[in-house]
Amino acid sequence: MKKHFLRPGIQLAATLVQNANFKGFFTGKIYKGDTKGVCVPGLNCYSCPGAVGACPIGSLQNFLGSTHFKIPYYVVGLLLFFGALLGRAVCGFLCPFGFIQELIHKIPFPQKKIRTFPGDKQLRYLKYAILLIFVITLPIIFKLTPTFCKYICPAGTLEGGLPIVLIHGSSNGMKTGFLFGWKMGILIICIIACLFIYRPFCKYLCPLGAIYGLCNPISLYRMHFNENACTHCGACVRACPMQVDPVKTPNSAECIRCGKCTGVCPSHALKCGFAFGKNYWHDLTEEGILHENRRQETQGTVSHENPAG
Amino acid sequence: MKKNFFSGNIRGLIVLAAAIGLIVTGILLGQYSQVLGKAIRVCLECIGIG
């Protein structure tokens, strides 16, 4: 039972920690402390009144689009650091916008959610195109224009634009126009899509997810599949909300390490975690799996349910 | 199985070490201040205003 609340608990804590300037939501003033110079791992707009860190995608565009081009060692280093350490576990555990999308998806309307549709696989490549075009190329060409933040990012509208407009109204020269309407449109489409599809922004649009996805095969926090233990029951494929087949590609770029597959695997053939320490390897040996099965049977906690349902 | 997993970790550790090198280089070049300078001002374009 406790395990079901572990990931949402971490997600909630990560969202609160990254937006710990709570009084900003009442005053409309953004935080100006030193931690604002450090990029947070997830997508969290630095213009959000609560944000205590910088958005890595916004910071990357800021460097690439500056009048005197600089190689963004610091931001790329931080992105690679989070990517090499956690991969897309950042999406599954630490991203505030991912957490918000999951909460919206939990609303029981419509009752039947869409798992996949024609063109779903192809659409997943869109986030790489957005990374290449809107985050890297266009800011270099059109200086001082963070094109992804300006024209696409619904996280910025939800976390930054909406609170600031609601608090300040049209005072302080903050006039909303076509651009705000455009971005609100994207946000509303994203929210409606969340009701039907699990984390649509992460699946199809997020450039940060694209970067961490590329790091998934090498990240230290990773999935391991024990072929000898697998019974090919298909429970993991049915449980995966990102439509990954962990048997074929345990470290797929789409896997956000939510752990649903490891939770439903009746033979404990899948394991997710850091591969350090003797116990990790022991757990993956046949002896370890038998030991785990025996332990769970004695506790009566062997789960065969499908949590994605 | 063990060998594959170990080689995967080696690549991860190399990238992690390179990332730390990049972060240190960036800090030495004053890039932390540039991120801070941008992040402490409301980016009107980022939030769709202006």
Side-chain angles (χ1 to χ4, degrees):
Chain A
M1 195 69 181
K2 274 182 187 172
K3 226 175 178 181
H4 290 290
F5 293 106
L6 181 65
R7 196 171 71 90
I10 293 172
Q11 287 177 295
L12 177 64
T15 302
L16 293 176
V17 167
Q18 289 174 67
N19 294 287
N21 182 40
F22 304 122
K23 67 174 181 184
F25 289 108
F26 301 99
T27 61
K29 287 179 181 169
I30 66 168
Y31 181 69
K32 296 189 177 186
D34 289 342
T35 55
K36 258 308 184 51
V38 181
C39 295
V40 294
L43 198 70
N44 194 60
C45 185
Y46 45 33
S47 292
C48 171
V52 294
C55 171
I57 292 295
S59 303
L60 185 62
Q61 289 172 95
N62 178 36
F63 272 99
L64 295 174
S66 61
T67 44
H68 300 289
F69 178 80
K70 288 175 191 167
I71 299 170
Y73 296 107
Y74 178 63
V75 180
V76 171
L78 281 168
L79 284 169
L80 284 179
F81 179 81
F82 295 130
L85 195 65
L86 299 167
R88 281 199 85 176
V90 170
C91 309
F93 286 85
L94 304 177
C95 180
F97 195 62
F99 180 49
I100 292 165
Q101 287 178 83
E102 279 191 30
L103 290 179
I104 296 169
H105 190 69
K106 281 188 193 296
I107 296 170
F109 174 83
Q111 285 189 338
K112 187 140 177 80
K113 307 284 183 183
I114 299 169
R115 275 182 64 80
T116 187
F117 55 87
D120 173 40
K121 268 191 175 176
Q122 290 75 14
L123 213 54
R124 306 264 179 137
Y125 292 104
L126 186 60
K127 57 181 173 287
Y128 298 102
I130 286 173
L131 171 66
L132 206 63
I133 297 167
F134 283 88
V135 177
I136 297 172
T137 312
L138 291 179
I140 293 174
I141 297 170
F142 301 105
K143 296 287 178 195
L144 302 172
T145 309
T147 39
F148 173 74
C149 298
K150 187 174 178 179
Y151 297 111
I152 299 176
C153 188
T157 315
L158 181 70
E159 297 166 2
L162 266 179
I164 287 177
V165 167
L166 287 174
I167 293 166
H168 291 291
S170 58
S171 63
N172 299 336
M174 289 190 180
K175 287 180 182 170
T176 55
F178 171 76
L179 187 61
F180 191 73
W182 166 264
K183 289 202 72 185
M184 276 302 292
I186 292 179
L187 176 63
I188 289 165
I189 291 169
C190 194
I191 289 170
I192 293 169
C194 284
L195 292 169
F196 294 87
I197 302 166
Y198 181 80
R199 297 177 76 139
F201 180 77
C202 310
K203 277 180 180 173
Y204 311 118
L205 300 174
C206 185
L208 195 56
I211 294 169
Y212 292 143
L214 294 172
C215 294
N216 249 5
I218 57 139
S219 65
L220 300 184
Y221 187 88
R222 62 205 336 259
M223 181 85 72
H224 190 79
F225 169 59
N226 188 343
E227 205 173 339
N228 297 328
C230 181
T231 59
H232 298 281
C233 66
C236 53
V237 182
R238 288 192 297 277
C240 181
M242 297 296 279
Q243 288 76 50
V244 173
D245 185 345
V247 173
K248 286 181 187 164
T249 50
N251 292 301
S252 158
E254 296 299 319
C255 175
I256 59 165
R257 312 298 194 213
C258 66
K260 295 237 168 104
C261 56
T262 57
V264 296
C265 181
S267 56
H268 306 288
L270 289 161
K271 191 173 171 73
C272 209
F274 292 102
F276 298 117
K278 267 185 178 175
N279 287 342
Y280 189 88
W281 289 111
H282 173 76
D283 289 352
L284 288 170
T285 59
E286 281 181 33
E287 188 196 342
I289 289 161
L290 284 171
H291 173 75
E292 177 67 12
N293 278 338
R294 275 198 298 271
R295 190 185 67 79
Q296 292 206 7
E297 274 167 19
T298 51
Q299 290 181 354
T301 55
V302 176
S303 168
H304 297 279
E305 65 177 335
N306 182 352
Chain B
M1 184 175 78
K2 203 167 186 174
K3 195 182 168 190
N4 287 343
F5 201 83
F6 189 67
S7 70
N9 267 345
I10 285 290
R11 283 186 294 164
L13 288 168
I14 290 169
V15 175
L16 198 68
I20 292 167
L22 287 172
I23 294 167
V24 173
T25 308
I27 291 171
L28 292 175
L29 291 171
Q31 295 189 351
Y32 163 83
S33 308
Q34 187 171 336
V35 172
L36 182 66
K38 172 76 180 173
I40 57 170
R41 284 176 282 121
V42 176
C43 173
L44 293 176
E45 279 186 321
C46 298
I47 60 175
I49 302 168

